[in-house]
Amino acid sequence: MVYTFATGTLRTLLPLLPGEPRHLVIDAAGRYLYASLNKGGGVVKIDIRLRRVVDRVRTGVNPRTIVLAPDGRSLYVVNYESQTVAKVRTRDMLVLQRLTTRGVHPVGIDYDAKTRTVWVACYRGTIERFADR
C-alpha cells in the first residue's frame, strides 16, 4: 500500500509480491521501489508510477537488507543463507559482483559514500567491510 502519513489516507496499492518481502528502498527520484524477497531468492524492481514489477534478479539464498549507492546506479544486498553480498546494477538488474562473507549469516548492510565502502553486519556479531569497485 502507498499510505500518505500527512493525511492518513491510503493512496494506492502496489502489487502483492511473492517470496516474503523483507526490505524496501526507494531511489532518490522516487520512481523505483526495490524489495528483497526473503523466500524468492532475489530483489524486484517496481515502477511506482506504473504499480508493477518491471525487473527482478536472483542474488542468493534468503536475501535480507538492501542499500542503494548514493548515485543510484547500484544496489547491494546481503544473502543470509548463502552468506554473500551481491552488487546489482539497477539499470538492468544484473549482478556485477558477489562476495562471500567471513561471518555467519549477514543481516545488515550500509554504504559509506565518502570512502566507497560497503559495511556488512553478520548475525553472530561480526562486522565486515568491502571496497566498492
Side-chain angles (χ1 to χ4, degrees):
M1 296 184 292
V2 177
Y3 184 81
T4 304
F5 287 100
T7 62
T9 59
L10 176 65
R11 288 190 348 211
T12 186
L13 295 174
L14 292 175
L16 182 63
L17 299 175
E20 297 181 12
R22 180 71 181 210
H23 190 233
L24 307 171
V25 294
I26 299 173
D27 71 349
R31 170 128 191 234
Y32 295 107
L33 170 72
Y34 299 91
S36 63
L37 302 178
N38 188 45
K39 296 294 182 196
V43 175
V44 292
K45 178 179 182 179
I46 299 169
D47 185 309
I48 295 171
R49 187 172 23 93
L50 298 176
R51 295 187 308 237
R52 67 179 177 89
V53 174
V54 293
D55 211 344
R56 63 184 67 228
V57 64
R58 292 196 57 80
T59 60
V61 182
N62 296 119
R64 298 284 176 103
T65 310
I66 52 181
V67 66
L68 277 168
D71 64 9
R73 294 181 184 170
S74 301
L75 65 83
Y76 306 81
V77 57
V78 292
N79 301 293
Y80 184 82
E81 283 298 328
S82 57
Q83 299 181 164
T84 59
V85 176
K87 177 179 181 178
V88 177
R89 184 170 55 205
T90 56
R91 176 176 42 112
D92 56 6
M93 298 301 281
L94 177 72
V95 174
L96 300 175
Q97 191 175 19
R98 189 174 282 114
L99 302 170
T100 302
T101 60
R102 291 184 309 277
V104 177
H105 301 309
V107 292
I109 191 165
D110 204 0
Y111 188 94
D112 178 17
K114 185 176 179 181
T115 61
R116 294 183 48 128
T117 302
V118 177
W119 292 87
V120 177
C122 294
Y123 190 72
R124 295 207 176 127
T126 61
I127 297 175
E128 300 180 31
R129 64 186 183 137
F130 300 93
D132 185 19
R133 302 195 193 285

